[in-house]
Amino acid sequence: MVIARCIDGAIQIIYKNKQNVHLATGLNSNQELSESSLKRGIDCLTLFAERLNGFPADNVRIVATHTLRVAKNRHQFLTAAAKILPYPVEIISGQEEARLIYLGTMIMEPTSASDTKFVIDIGGGSTEIAIGKGNGLKPIIVDSRPMGCVTYAKQFFPDQQINKNAFQQAKLAAEQQIECMINIIKKQNITIAFGTSGTIKSIYNILLDLGVSDGIITPKRLNDLISYVLEFKSSQEIDYPSLSKERKTVFVSGLAIFNGVFDALGLEALQYSPSALREGVLYELIDKPNYGDIRQTTALSLAQHYNIDKRHAEQVVKTAKYLFSQWKEQSSLTIPINLEAILYWAAQLHEVGLKINFSSIHKHSSYILLNSNLPGFNEEQQLLLATLVRYHRKSINIDELPYFSLFEYKHIIPLLQILRLSILINNQRNAELDLHAFHLKLANNKLTEITLEINKIFIKNNKLILLDLEQEQKYWNSVNHWKLLIETH
């Protein structure tokens, strides 16, 4: 946990607290967290909650990484966390984690505009890699690989026993994990490399213990360290002053991962950076306008990549804003602004799957949005975006909607209804569409029952839209508590 304040645009850290929970050690072969590991995580959050008491929700951001990404019973953890923390726990993708680590490192480390910068972070369950160029804070390559010091300790060094064969197996496994990236990364011609977090911090501190004043990791220094460590039979026997008892249990596995990546990429030198994910999250939290821009930039980039009809997308977004404003005026329910924004991104991106084909475009578009790297979006925001697009046309099966811990269904359903109507109204792709021909009305105390009033003259000239709306009524009638009425005036 990091607490900071912003003074004249600069971040000033005023409090730090780190608890080694090692949540990944509690994952079983079915990718389920044990009760003891769940308890350790909740106990840690309970401790943090004391320090965060009284903080406004807009000033706090909590992110979860690899272990909760893969844990099948993560909702059990999130439900327990919600009882002790008045702030949502966001699960972020591995690529988003890599982007934030790069951001956290770059805002603290001096580099030149001509540098190609490489950043690696070895976590408990995954390793994140990012590469960027110039003075910008946005990486050009991000990736996350399922190899971490905790999971590799369980796999290759059971009972904390050390031997050369196990180390070589762990190193080879790490090299295999990045095999598909090696040539791509080498072509970037890295000029400066940074490593962050526990494993690399430990290597850096051990080098300082050995009298290496700059702490820079080079091939010779790394190989000498590995040779020395492999003389021990057990992790707990390693006797460097800076290596804590807790870190010893996962140090050798982390060292093997780092060695595999370092050798495979042919790195000549790597510096330790104390700034990583937390600092990246903190920077974006303080610079909120920029955070919003990142997601908007992501949406625009995706639209360009899939050659979306810009004029049509803008018209659908405009229609969604028009209908939502009417819905909001009549509704007793307040939908958070961040959800409203996702509605408009869904309207903008609902045709990304058209590049595959029009048949089942809603499924193609949803698949692309769910499986693309979307900088700025956490895992549930991305899932909601893909879900809205998945059900923007054809039949609706509410029972198939995924579980969300950050959002409520009563907020999601109106967004889905408005998105469907906004896209349907623009089926004829008429840029001159007069939105004032439509008026949305809500039934009293029934937020899922909508009446759409349409100008008679408009209907007379656009009979296909009326036919489309009549078909839409049938889709709505198949869903409990949904109702769409069409009236002309």
Side-chain angles (χ1 to χ4, degrees), residues 125-261:
S126 64
T127 293
E128 279 64 48
I129 290 172
I131 298 171
K133 295 188 177 185
N135 290 326
L137 297 176
K138 296 178 182 178
I140 57 173
I141 294 174
V142 290
D143 204 353
S144 175
R145 310 308 301 168
M147 53 183 184
C149 58
V150 174
T151 52
Y152 269 40
K154 288 171 64 176
Q155 183 178 351
F156 296 102
F157 304 97
D159 303 320
Q160 299 183 42
Q161 298 303 302
I162 302 173
N163 64 72
K164 292 181 181 180
N165 183 52
F167 189 90
Q168 287 302 316
Q169 286 182 335
K171 178 188 174 185
L172 181 60
E175 291 175 352
Q176 288 176 320
Q177 281 292 340
I178 66 162
E179 185 177 10
C180 61
M181 301 175 60
I182 294 173
N183 289 333
I184 296 171
I185 293 175
K186 283 186 174 181
K187 286 178 181 178
Q188 303 303 317
N189 296 319
I190 296 165
T191 59
I192 188 167
F194 298 96
T196 67
S197 299
T199 292
I200 296 166
K201 180 181 179 181
S202 296
I203 296 171
Y204 166 79
N205 284 332
I206 290 172
L207 290 178
L208 296 182
D209 291 342
L210 296 173
V212 178
S213 59
D214 58 15
I216 293 175
I217 304 169
T218 65
K220 184 179 186 308
R221 292 171 179 177
L222 180 60
N223 288 334
D224 288 347
L225 173 59
I226 292 168
S227 296
Y228 184 75
V229 167
L230 291 180
E231 295 297 321
F232 295 100
K233 302 296 182 184
S234 167
S235 297
Q236 292 304 321
E237 294 177 8
I238 304 173
D239 59 354
Y240 290 112
S242 62
L243 199 61
S244 68
K245 184 177 180 180
E246 262 187 336
R247 175 55 59 178
K248 286 179 181 180
T249 61
V250 295
F251 175 67
V252 179
S253 53
L255 182 64
I257 292 171
F258 180 73
N259 185 211
V261 175

Side-chain angles (χ1 to χ4, degrees), residues 424 427 463-473:
L424 185 150
N427 269 354
K463 293 179 180 178
L464 280 176
I465 288 183
L466 182 59
L467 287 174
D468 288 339
L469 284 167
E470 288 172 351
Q471 176 60 51
E472 183 70 3
Q473 283 181 305

